[in-house]
Amino acid sequence: MSLITIANTVHFVIRLPNKIPFLDVGATYIELKTEIDNAIGRVLDSFTYILGPEVQNFEDEFANYVSAGHCVGVANGLEALRLALRAVGVEQGDEVIVPAHTFIATWLAATQCGARLVPVEPELDGFNINPTLVEAAITERTKAIVVVHLYGQPAQLDQILEIGRRHRIPVVEDAAQAHGALYKGVKIGSHSDAVAWSFYPSKNLGAFGDAGAVTTNRIDVADRVRVESNYGSKVKYEHDVLGTNSRLDPVQAAVLRVKLRVLDEWNARRENIARIYSQKLEMKAIVLPSWATDRSSVWHLYVVQVNERDRIREVLGKAGIETGIHYPVPPHVQLSYRNEYGQLPLLRSAQLSKDVLSLPIGPHLTESMAESVVDVLGNILIDQDPFMVGTQK
Ligand SMILES: *Cc1c(COP(=O)(O)O)cnc(C)c1O
């Protein structure tokens, strides 16, 4: 989608028929334009621009959607994670176990609490944290285990929660990519001590700006996040703890209330695209994401592993197919973390960063677009040696 301005006032949206966008965020607005415009107008007309009923209604509706006792809206996903970690007791000098293969926000949240990171590699046949390695990484200084449901697929929660219980270590979930996902028939959102959400525009449930939330069944965790996110204050101008300003914007809350109503339908559309990819890309030179029987992914991303990833990505790009890489550089070798963690032998994470390729997926990607992706990618792979990449399925 491209935007052209004529005489500074008229905006035309041009859809190039031969381009397949990685994700069309604008289409989420276009589909719901009337309802979203009304919702935003309602906030403006209410004259309440900080917190208020719109935020509270969203918190109630989202808590209800994920079957959690409490939901506290916050400014963004990183803040949700940071405040959740603080609320379960992470302090300066503690150790926090984090996935080695994740978006850097998962790490930054623990770092901002003053904790030392203990990165753990993903499972051999998936992308989520390996429970066996989690147990091996525990020391007497471990204060929290962070689980990420990466790409929309829930992690092995039962095993990790059991390890947490046995060692009396709280578990925090990073659910920024898993809105609506099910683990053994139960929605992600209340399994652990605290669940952190991002509503960044490209997420399955996305605002039109930054937004986040923490859901939990623990009233003490909810209270602490609420107080810390609002200047450490329960009663106006009484500041009992050193808080911050990390509130959910009511305009974004109003947008999220509209989009929450279509979340399940839009997740189903993503699953339909994922099914087309999985059925039609069964071939040797590519590793496809797995379909677990005890969990359902919400297909935030459809990530394959291929040899010569960068070359394949370039050919797809020339054919007009946009793809993504999640993520090209693992956190431990980023310049910001390299000094402290760069020497760790996180081999699988390093390998994944070279092999992963995210195909276009989203609620507005059509079946015929998915078929085009399959055709073009299939043709590229025919020219390749049929050797296995990454790990076996
Ligand atoms: C998006 C994302 C975050 C951070 O969310 P923001 O709202 O951008 O701060 C954290 N963790 C994961 C896994 C994410 O995908």
Side-chain angles (χ1 to χ4, degrees):
M1 197 164 79
S2 56
L3 226 68
I4 294 174
T5 312
I6 292 174
N8 292 325
T9 49
V10 188
H11 299 266
F12 287 95
V13 176
I14 311 276
R15 270 159 208 290
L16 304 170
N18 53 348
K19 279 253 174 195
I20 300 180
F22 177 65
L23 174 72
D24 190 351
V25 174
T28 69
Y29 174 50
I30 292 166
E31 181 175 335
L32 301 169
K33 182 171 169 34
T34 312
E35 286 140 285
I36 284 174
D37 289 353
N38 286 341
I40 292 174
R42 192 174 66 227
V43 177
L44 297 179
D45 287 337
S46 76
F47 306 149
T48 299
Y49 306 131
I50 296 291
L51 298 177
E54 212 64 56
V55 170
Q56 198 181 334
N57 285 334
F58 171 70
E59 288 174 345
D60 292 348
E61 287 160 17
F62 194 63
N64 186 49
Y65 176 80
V66 301
S67 303
H70 315 274
C71 172
V72 183
V74 298
N76 55 58
L78 173 61
E79 279 292 272
L81 274 167
R82 186 182 69 83
L83 293 164
L85 286 170
R86 284 179 58 81
V88 301
V90 174
E91 288 173 7
Q92 189 79 33
D94 292 339
E95 286 179 6
V96 172
I97 292 175
V98 292
H101 179 63
T102 183
F103 179 56
I104 198 159
T106 318
W107 284 43
L108 287 174
T111 299
Q112 289 178 4
C113 293
R116 216 197 117 64
L117 299 162
V118 180
V120 165
E121 288 260 78
E123 306 155 288
L124 290 177
D125 57 352
F127 302 108
N128 286 321
I129 197 165
N130 183 330
T132 310
L133 300 180
V134 167
E135 177 127 48
I138 289 174
T139 73
E140 66 271 25
R141 306 183 74 162
T142 310
K143 272 291 174 59
I145 300 167
V146 183
V147 178
V148 183
H149 307 301
L150 204 66
Y151 309 151
Q153 170 92 260
Q156 306 270 13
L157 267 178
D158 275 356
Q159 291 176 55
I160 291 158
L161 291 170
E162 190 273 323
I163 293 166
R165 265 194 303 275
R166 196 149 31 78
H167 294 268
R168 296 176 185 279
I169 298 170
V171 174
V172 170
E173 292 163 78
D174 177 344
Q177 304 187 355
H179 317 75
L182 297 172
Y183 179 76
K184 300 193 174 166
V186 178
K187 281 233 173 68
I188 294 298
S190 68
H191 291 87
S192 63
D193 294 84
V195 186
W197 302 90
S198 164
F199 307 117
Y200 182 85
S202 66
K203 309 293 182 178
N204 290 43
L205 177 59
F208 292 128
D210 279 310
V214 175
T215 58
T216 179
N217 281 337
R218 280 179 56 179
I219 179 94
D220 61 318
V221 167
D223 273 350
R224 184 147 175 205
V225 171
R226 196 177 290 288
V227 168
E228 282 205 18
S229 67
N230 192 20
Y231 284 116
S233 171
K234 251 185 196 161
V235 177
K236 201 164 188 180
Y237 300 129
E238 287 178 23
H239 306 276
D240 302 340
V241 294
L242 293 175
T244 187
N245 177 352
S246 189
R247 296 175 295 231
L248 174 61
D249 179 335
V251 171
Q252 301 305 337
V255 169
L256 289 167
R257 292 181 69 196
V258 174
K259 285 186 148 189
L260 181 57
R261 294 199 279 273
V262 297
L263 177 59
D264 285 342
E265 188 203 323
W266 286 12
N267 280 342
R269 293 189 205 165
R270 285 174 179 272
E271 185 179 282
N272 185 44
I273 299 299
R275 190 161 283 122
I276 291 173
Y277 286 153
S278 286
Q279 280 169 359
K280 307 210 162 165
L281 287 170
E282 273 294 5
M283 55 180 78
K284 283 216 164 68
I286 186 169
V287 178
L288 301 175
S290 65
W291 291 67
T293 50
D294 60 345
R295 285 162 276 169
S296 70
S297 176
V298 285
W299 301 103
H300 175 62
L301 296 170
Y302 189 95
V303 177
V304 301
Q305 295 161 69
V306 283
N307 267 319
E308 295 188 74
R309 188 265 321 275
D310 294 334
R311 185 184 70 81
I312 288 171
R313 184 165 195 239
E314 199 185 313
V315 180
L316 286 169
K318 283 190 180 134
I321 297 170
E322 242 177 59
T323 53
I325 300 173
H326 301 87
Y327 298 89
V329 181
H332 72 284
V333 287
Q334 294 281 356
L335 205 50
S336 46
Y337 276 124
R338 192 179 293 172
N339 280 347
E340 211 171 341
Y341 303 100
Q343 296 309 312
L344 293 176
L346 302 168
L347 302 181
R348 178 158 164 80
S349 300
Q351 187 63 45
L352 284 176
S353 70
K354 295 190 172 67
D355 293 344
V356 288
L357 179 67
S358 308
L359 302 184
I361 196 162
H364 298 89
L365 194 90
T366 63
E367 288 186 3
S368 79
M369 285 169 159
E371 306 275 356
S372 301
V373 173
V374 167
D375 290 345
V376 176
L377 183 55
N379 272 329
I380 301 171
L381 291 169
I382 281 170
D383 300 334
Q384 275 210 328
D385 286 340
F387 52 89
M388 289 300 290
V389 237
T391 48
Q392 305 259 329
K393 257 195 299 173

